[in-house]
Every structure is written in C-alpha cells, then in structure tokens.
Amino acid sequence: MTVLDLAWKMIRAHRGGLMGAFVALLGASALITACGIILQSGLSAGVAPQRYAGAAVVVGGPTNVAVTRGGKTKHKPLTERATLPTALVDRVAHVQGVRAAIGDVSFPAEVIDRKGEPVNAGDGSLGHGWASAALTPLTPAIGRPPASAGEVVLDAVLARRARVTAGDRVKIMAGGAPATYQVSGVTARHGADRHPALFFSDAEAERFAGRPGTVDAIGVLTAPHTDTGDLAARIGRALRGTRANVTTGAARSRVEFPDVRRARSDLQEMAGALTGTIILVTVLVVAGTLALTFHRRRREIALLRAIAATPRQISKMIAAEMLVVSLVAAALGWLPGVVVAFALKSALGAVGLIPADYAFSAGPLPALVALGACVGVAELAAWAASRRAVRVRPVEALGEAALERRGTGGARVAAGLGLLLIGGAASLLPLFFGSVFAVAGAGSGGLIMIIAVVLLGPPVVKAMTRLLAVPLRRSFGTPGYLAAAGARASSRRLAAAISPMILIVGFALIQLGLPTIMAAAAHRDATRGVLADRTLARDGGVPPDALDAARNTPGVLAATPIVHSTIYAAITMLGDPEVFEYQAQGIDPRGLDRTLDLGVQSGNIGDLAGGTVAISRAAAGTLGARVGSTVRLYLGDGTPVTPRVIAVYRRGAGFGDITLPHPDLLPHTTRRIDETILVRARPGTSLGELERRYPGLTVHDRDGIAAAQRSQQNGAILTSALPLLMIFGYIAVAVANALVLSVTERTREFALLRLVGATHRQIMRMMRAEAVLVAVIAVAIGTAVPLLPLATIGYGLTGNPMPYLPPLLYVAITGGASLLGTLSILVPARIALRSHPKESL
C-alpha cells in the first residue's frame, strides 16, 4: 500500500476530524482569492473613459510623483490633476497622423433650477469649452453650439433635471454667484457620465477655468488609417522633455479621473497590507486547527509508530492527507472569495474609499495564487503540528498517546519569549522617536506580542487557570473545580482552542484602536482649535467670491478660507527613497487668531506667507524639520516646492500635518475652490443673505462644526474597519472551529463521567464553567497585550498616553468573541451528551 493510498483511507476514516482543517483552509482560500481580486482590480483601469471616449490618444500631465534618491525611484499617484502648457497643443497637432489636437479645460459649474436649488448631478457637473465636445463626441440634438459668452449647451441629463430646452434661459453658478444664460442647445447623449457637462464658448470656459495658458488634457483625433500605438509613440517623442503623459485605451481614464488614480493606488496598498496579515493569520489558524486535529489522532499515530512505521512515513502520510484536503478546499474557496471581494467593493464604494463605479475584475490568477498559498500553508502547518507526534520513540508511543505530555518545548518557549521582548521593545518606540516609523513599529510590535502569546499558550493558560481556579470553584462548585482541573491537565488542547479567541480580540483592538485614537484626537483638536462660531460649507465647494461677501457682511470680525489637498514629502531611509502622504490645508493668515488655533509650539503662524509652511509635530519628527529649516514637498499636482518652516504645531490630527498659504495651495488643486470658510462674527450677526445669494451654501454653528468633524472621523474609522471585517470573520470561524474540535474530542471523557455517576446537568455546568474560563482568559490576554502599543501610539500621535476605544466598540468585540466561544463550547457539548455512554466509548 502506497503512502497516498494510506492517506486517502485515513481521510475517509477521519472525515469529521479533518473537517476543521478543511473549513480553515476553505476560509483561507476565500480570503486570499478576495485579496488577489482586489490587487488585480487595483492594477486595471477601473473606470472606462467617458469624456475622452472619442479621442484615440489623450495627453495629460503627470499622474505620479517620482522621487529619486541614490539611483532608486519611488512613485506615488497624484491626487490632483496636473495641467499642461497650451503651447503643447500645437506641438501635438503637427505630429504625423494627428487630424486634430484639442485642449480641454474643466471647472465646477452647476445648473440652478427654477426653485433656486442646484440640480443634483451626482458627483458634480463640470463646465468645458465647446471645442472639447468633439472628444466625446457630442453634437447638439436640439439647437446649436454656443456662439457668445452668454450662451451654453447643456448635457441632456442636466437639461432634463432642470426642465429646460434650447431657447430657454437658465441660471448657472460657475466661479461666483449665479448668472443667467441662454440655452443654445442640448446634447443628444443620455449616458450615465460621472460628471454631466455644460459647454460654454471657448473664451468663456478659459475665463471660468482661471488658469490662462494651461489645459487639463489634450485629446487627439486621428487621421484615417493611423495606427493608435504608433501615433502615441510619435507623440511621446515629440513631447520628450516635458511633463506630458501619453495614454491610449483604458488608460485614458487616468487622465480624466484623478480619483481613479488614487483608488487604484489604495487598492494596491490595501491588497499588499491585507495579504501579509491574511497569510500570518492563516498560518496561525490552520496550525492551531491541525494541532487539535492530530491531538485527536495521537493514539492512532502512536499505534503506527508501535508497529514500526517510521517518522518519515508518517510525515509523508500527513503531508499527503493535507495535500488532498488543501487542494479541495482551495478549489471550493474560489467562489466565496469572489463574493467577498465584490461585497467589499460595494462597501468601499458606499463609504467613498473608491468610486462607486469602479469596476472589479476577477480572473483565474487570484484563484491559482490562492491554491498555491493554501497548499503551502497547509503543508507548513501540518509539519509544525505533527512534528511532536512523529518524533516519539516506538516504545514510548502508546504511553505518549495515553496521556498528554507535561511542559512545553524549549524552542517554542524561547521563540515566544524572544518575540515578546521584540514586540515590547517595538511598542516603546513612540516614546523615544516622534515619527511615523515609530508609530508603525509600535503597531507591528502589538501584533508580534499577540503571536508570542499564542506560542506561549500552554504555560499562559495553565497560569491563568490557577489564578481563576478558586473563583470558578466558588461560583460553580464541584463542576467549576473539574473544569479548572481539566484545563490544567489539558493545557495544550485548551491553548490551541483559546488562541484564535485571543487573536481575534487582540487583533481587533490593535487594528481598530489606531483609527479611533486618531478620531478622538481629531475631534479634540477641532473642538479646541476652532475659534470661529460659524462655518460656510457647500457640496462641491464654496464659490470664490463668497469669501469677500462674508468679510463684507456687517458684524463679521474675520473670515478664513480653507482648501484641502494631499501633498508628498520624501526622505532617504537606508539608502532608499521613502515618500509620505500628508493631509494639507491652505489658509489665509489674516484674522486667523480669531478663527483657528493650531496649537503652535514653536514659531509664529502669523508669518505664514508665500514660500513658507507650518507643520505638525508628527510631521516634523518624521521629516527631521524645525523652525527655520526648509522641507522638500510635492504638491497634489506634482509641483515641487521647498518652503521654509515658520511654525510647528501640535493639532495635526484635526487640521492636517501641513499648513500652507492659501495662494500657494489653491492653484494646485483640481477644482481650485475652497471647501469651507471659517467665520467669527459678533453675537446676533445673520449670514442668511449669503445662503440666499449662493444656492446650496449652508451656515453651520459650532455644534455643526463638531458634528461634521465627528461624521468625518466616523467615516475614517469605518473605512479602516471595512477591509478588516473579512479577516475578523475568518478568525471568528476559526474560533468556532477550534472550540468545536476541542469539545467533540472529549466525548469519551463525558461518557466516563456519566458512567461514574455524573449527571447530564452536572456535566453541562462543568462546560459552562469552562466556557467562562475560556472567555475570561481570551478577553483578559487579548485586552492586556494591545494596551502597551496603543498607549505609546496615542502618546506619539497626540501627546496623550491614554488609549481610547469607544465603549460600545469594545463591548462588541469582547462580547461577540465571548458569545461565539460560549456557543462553540456548549452547543457541541450538549449534542455529545445525547448519545449513550457505551456508544461514546
């Protein structure tokens, strides 16, 4: 009989025992497949081109910031659209094979209906020059193109919603208060474009765009019989030495939609981070499950050793068993993985992390990767779980099987203690270094300590059981005593069952603790730092002339415009470039002392002017900056700047780590429009006239400011939690899986107890005591381990070492884990007690 034949017979004989390993590997396959789909989708186009669908080639500005240090280059996707000089349009037009080269500009423009309300246009409508309509291509179905500054052509979607047609007059808000335009035409297209379009005369569009001499993109219409690839190559050579980015096919959407570029990068980073975590969790879960599985079969393995089976033969048999189980589990896990990936895509779209219309792609590659990963993890876990069983000497085999060996292997204890020391040291880094590396190190240190506790499970469980033995006996009487005694005698089995519970509690607290700490710090910063008593806000941004209107309103003492963006800073780390993203705000320092307090620690925020910058304490620590030094930054459109630091402040969590002068940041954003205006006014001052003048503008009081901040931070927490939910779900399944295996192994023990006189009720009371013991140990250890890294992270980011986690969230995590553990113990125990003791024996 071959080893494979024996393995197949063993699988058939131990279907129930191997079911736990099968479930663990099935879940692992689903998670890895989902992760692969996320990565593959991040590498794809995501959204098909819409406005530029009629252009064979689209030339845009750079889509990435590239930082080169020591001969190595690091790229980061730009969050804002980079523009191109208008002169490049003529250069492209003279390339062989180009029929027409058309420069396109875009700017926020909204139609106001007869009720004075903005027409709801989804992500926001945009204005363009009529010449760019050929890139879609569009023609007026009704009417004619705009011939003068007072005319406009509307997208069919906007015309239908505003209930206007060619010849009607309509109010449009673009660059200021609404103005009346003549609708000269309505386009024929009724497609579901992300940004419905308004077309003005080219001169009017250039005026509204407010950036003469530049275009957002250049669309190329080809001459007949021109190969697109060859044409793109010729255009690339013609534009050599410029910042231009030549795209064709699906890549054209990267020029059209800056948010798609960011989504692609976010999905790639998410897949990378999740993959490592998933592999680690999978190894721990599968190894623990197989440890329980082979613990049930120790008598069988001992018998094989006694009849002269060599360790090599048993190892081959176990490897063959796990090969078959992992292949089947991995194949069946593909479909659930696809479902998980697309469910996560919908959730990420709902919270705004990726565009709602971003398309996921599920090819065969993620399934193949999941297959290979599951087989590898299964074989590694099988080797680790069966190593002890196959190394016993034949003469000791039956004795070894009859009674669990006391003590834990020296190598395992040494590894656990070593990891505990490494994790503890890493968790202390924020106390000594004020940089993002220290915070990341502390978070990793917490995960390392959880792994260490899992390795040290048997002695830790035994020690905790001794501490809880007296309370258990007092609460449950003799059943409590039996539960504690059984836990001490079978600490290995119990540790393998408790480890997934410790993992889910500790992992959840660490992963969700960081965003909640940041959310609490941001809310605290906003509450203490906002001195204004009103905020002007509007979906799509505040019109540019609203600032002057607010400042000229009687009773207004100060008004501060705020525009936000993402900027980049680079440092050299171990000889390689490292690029960091920072949230930045552009503000006007005039009257800032009445509207905003950033908590300046050194320097003077009033010195903020062109060519200067104020940075947070955390950013200063990471970049090695101080007042008077200069920092190398890249704005959201990739423009490099080297401003001088004039202040360092502590409230970076609430207001962003970088603060630039308003004129230095605003022109480098895609929409070039303020997001909010902070207003300080005398009591009784009314700003209602501003709301009437600018449709959609809302005036918030101080409570509204705090509510908006809470809503934003809650969204950030939800965004961080969503990708982790599938890992939490997998660990939850592993918890139930491990505990069910642990309980079902004890049917002989239950039968013996019943034969010596124990009643059904007494055994269930013992199991309830054990469930309490398991829950208390898991919650206590799972809570204690993250306390150190969360405290140091809080201190490093906010200066406050007190870890913060919303009570309801903590109760949900620990209560959910405890309930799951309790049910996974009591339900199979009750089922096991239904059979007759003789049958169980």
Side-chain angles (χ1 to χ4, degrees):
M1 180 183 294
T2 65
V3 171
L4 191 60
D5 291 334
L6 179 60
W8 179 245
K9 291 182 180 296
M10 289 296 184
I11 291 173
R12 295 179 60 185
H14 297 283
R15 289 190 298 268
L18 291 174
M19 183 57 67
F22 175 81
V23 171
L25 289 168
L26 178 69
S29 173
L31 285 184
I32 297 171
T33 299
C35 221
I37 292 173
I38 293 172
L39 177 59
Q40 182 172 294
S41 301
L43 297 172
S44 67
V47 176
Q50 297 173 1
R51 276 269 305 129
Y52 301 145
V57 180
V58 176
V59 181
T63 58
N64 293 278
V65 59
V67 177
T68 301
R69 301 282 175 87
K72 297 181 179 180
T73 302
K74 185 70 174 289
H75 296 272
K76 279 283 188 179
L78 296 175
T79 56
E80 310 287 358
R81 179 183 287 114
T83 58
L84 294 171
T86 305
L88 295 185
V89 178
D90 290 335
R91 192 186 299 187
V92 173
H94 286 88
V95 174
Q96 179 186 357
V98 174
R99 175 166 57 89
I102 302 170
D104 179 39
V105 296
S106 61
F107 50 89
E110 294 184 64
V111 176
I112 308 301
D113 63 18
R114 293 183 174 88
K115 297 180 181 179
E117 298 294 332
V119 171
N120 182 8
D123 288 338
S125 53
L126 296 175
H128 304 271
W130 175 251
S132 67
L135 302 177
T136 306
L138 289 173
T139 56
I142 305 173
R144 56 175 175 76
S148 64
E151 295 182 340
V152 66
V153 171
L154 297 183
D155 184 288
V157 174
L158 292 175
R160 184 173 65 252
R161 291 177 178 175
R163 298 182 181 180
V164 296
T165 188
D168 292 342
R169 299 185 69 80
V170 65
K171 285 187 176 182
I172 293 175
M173 188 161 65
T180 302
Y181 283 79
Q182 180 81 29
V183 180
S184 65
V186 177
T187 64
R189 185 165 178 167
H190 293 265
D193 283 359
R194 303 177 76 202
H195 301 290
L198 297 82
F199 294 97
F200 300 82
S201 66
D202 292 334
E204 186 81 341
E206 185 176 350
R207 181 177 71 85
F208 279 138
R211 45 186 187 276
T214 64
V215 294
D216 292 341
I218 303 171
V220 177
L221 305 180
T222 60
H225 312 296
T226 300
D227 181 82
T228 300
D230 293 341
L231 177 59
R234 290 195 293 271
I235 294 174
R237 289 192 293 270
L239 299 178
R240 188 173 297 158
T242 70
R243 302 176 68 208
N245 178 36
V246 181
T247 61
T248 60
R252 293 171 294 172
S253 66
R254 302 176 194 174
V255 178
E256 185 174 359
F257 305 123
D259 60 334
V260 171
R261 298 199 299 264
R262 181 56 186 261
R264 294 176 70 247
S265 175
D266 288 342
L267 288 174
Q268 292 174 37
E269 291 182 2
M270 181 189 302
L274 286 177
T275 299
T277 304
I278 287 171
I279 294 295
L280 175 62
V281 170
T282 299
V283 170
L284 293 175
V285 167
V286 174
T289 303
L290 290 183
L292 287 171
T293 299
F294 291 118
H295 188 271
R296 297 178 58 165
R297 296 172 57 184
R298 62 191 184 278
R299 292 177 180 273
E300 171 192 290
I301 295 175
L303 181 60
L304 290 174
R305 291 287 290 117
I307 60 175
T310 66
R312 182 180 178 85
Q313 289 174 323
I314 295 178
S315 296
K316 282 186 175 182
M317 178 193 72
I318 293 173
E321 288 181 26
M322 296 317 303
L323 177 63
V324 174
V325 172
S326 60
L327 285 174
V328 175
L332 295 179
W334 176 79
L335 184 57
V338 173
V339 173
V340 169
F342 280 85
L344 182 61
K345 180 255 181 185
S346 300
L348 294 175
V351 300
L353 187 62
I354 62 173
D357 56 351
Y358 194 99
F360 268 28
S361 57
L365 187 58
L368 294 176
V369 172
L371 183 67
C374 284
V375 171
V377 168
E379 295 300 331
L380 176 64
W383 170 82
S386 61
R387 184 168 53 91
R388 174 175 171 271
V390 300
R391 285 184 177 180
V392 296
R393 292 179 299 173
V395 295
E396 297 175 352
L398 293 178
E400 179 76 8
L403 185 64
E404 184 177 280
R405 188 178 65 183
R406 294 183 177 275
T408 305
R412 179 171 177 173
V413 171
L417 292 176
L419 290 177
L420 193 62
L421 291 175
I422 293 172
S427 299
L428 296 176
L429 288 176
L431 299 179
F432 306 100
F433 305 98
S435 70
V436 67
F437 299 111
V439 172
S444 300
L447 295 178
I448 291 173
M449 286 195 293
I450 290 176
I451 297 172
V453 170
V454 171
L455 289 176
L456 297 172
V460 170
V461 167
K462 187 173 291 187
M464 292 289 292
T465 303
R466 288 196 182 98
L467 291 176
L468 296 172
V470 174
L472 274 181
R473 187 166 61 249
R474 290 178 178 175
S475 300
F476 292 91
T478 301
Y481 169 80
L482 291 176
R488 287 196 301 271
S490 303
S491 57
R492 285 178 175 273
R493 171 185 56 79
L494 195 61
I498 292 178
S499 291
M501 286 187 66
I502 296 174
L503 188 63
I504 192 172
V505 174
F507 184 79
L509 292 181
I510 289 176
Q511 295 297 322
L512 297 180
L514 180 58
T516 55
I517 288 173
M518 289 300 300
H523 178 63
R524 183 172 61 250
D525 286 353
T527 302
R528 299 175 181 176
V530 175
L531 306 179
D533 48 23
R534 319 282 178 84
T535 295
L536 305 181
R538 184 180 182 277
D539 290 340
V542 180
D545 59 356
L547 176 62
D548 291 335
R551 285 174 170 170
N552 294 329
T553 300
V556 171
L557 302 174
T560 301
I562 297 181
V563 59
H564 291 98
S565 183
T566 300
I567 69 172
Y568 310 89
I571 65 171
T572 301
M573 183 179 179
L574 300 178
D576 295 335
E578 190 67 38
V579 182
F580 300 97
E581 294 184 11
Y582 288 112
Q583 291 301 309
Q585 62 176 355
I587 62 174
D588 185 346
R590 288 181 294 172
L592 187 65
D593 58 336
R594 294 175 178 267
T595 58
L596 193 63
D597 178 12
L598 295 178
V600 175
Q601 291 184 322
S602 59
N604 182 8
I605 195 71
D607 295 336
L608 193 67
T612 64
V613 65
I615 62 177
S616 71
R617 178 181 59 183
T622 300
L623 303 178
R626 62 184 185 278
V627 174
S629 65
T630 59
V631 290
R632 180 71 167 178
L633 303 176
Y634 299 84
L635 302 181
D637 63 353
T639 302
V641 294
T642 311
R644 178 173 56 88
V645 178
I646 53 89
V648 175
Y649 54 89
R650 66 178 181 273
R651 289 178 178 150
F655 301 104
D657 289 295
I658 306 292
T659 298
L660 289 164
H662 188 267
D664 287 4
L665 186 62
L666 184 68
H668 299 278
T669 60
T670 299
R671 297 180 66 86
R672 293 171 174 82
I673 193 169
D674 292 323
E675 296 180 21
T676 57
I677 298 176
L678 299 180
V679 177
R680 182 74 174 271
R682 294 188 178 93
T685 301
S686 174
L687 302 180
E689 178 59 30
L690 296 176
E691 291 181 305
R692 290 186 290 272
R693 183 175 179 182
Y694 302 99
L697 186 69
T698 304
V699 179
H700 298 284
D701 57 14
R702 287 192 62 85
D703 292 338
I705 296 172
Q709 181 72 27
R710 282 195 298 270
S711 176
Q712 180 180 1
Q713 296 305 321
N714 288 338
I717 295 173
L718 186 59
T719 299
S720 301
L722 276 175
L724 299 173
L725 286 179
M726 59 183 189
I727 299 180
F728 294 159
Y730 175 61
I731 300 177
V733 172
V735 169
N737 195 17
L739 290 174
V740 168
L741 283 174
S742 176
V743 172
T744 54
E745 180 191 355
R746 301 169 62 186
T747 52
R748 292 173 59 85
E749 175 189 333
F750 296 157
L752 288 173
L753 288 172
R754 293 170 68 184
L755 288 176
V756 297
T759 65
H760 182 287
R761 182 176 180 181
Q762 288 173 327
I763 295 176
M764 285 304 300
R765 186 173 176 81
M766 179 189 73
M767 297 308 296
R768 282 193 290 271
E770 184 168 313
V772 170
L773 179 68
V774 167
V776 170
I777 292 175
V779 170
I781 297 176
T783 300
V785 172
L787 285 179
L788 178 60
L790 289 181
T792 58
I793 288 173
Y795 178 79
L797 292 176
T798 68
N800 184 2
M802 183 62 67
Y804 174 77
L805 195 73
L808 289 179
L809 181 59
Y810 177 77
V811 170
I813 293 171
T814 57
S818 300
L819 179 62
L820 178 64
T822 300
L823 293 177
S824 300
I825 291 174
L826 297 183
V827 172
R830 187 174 295 276
I831 294 174
L833 290 174
R834 290 178 180 176
S835 61
H836 194 276
K838 293 182 179 180
E839 295 177 358
S840 299
L841 290 175

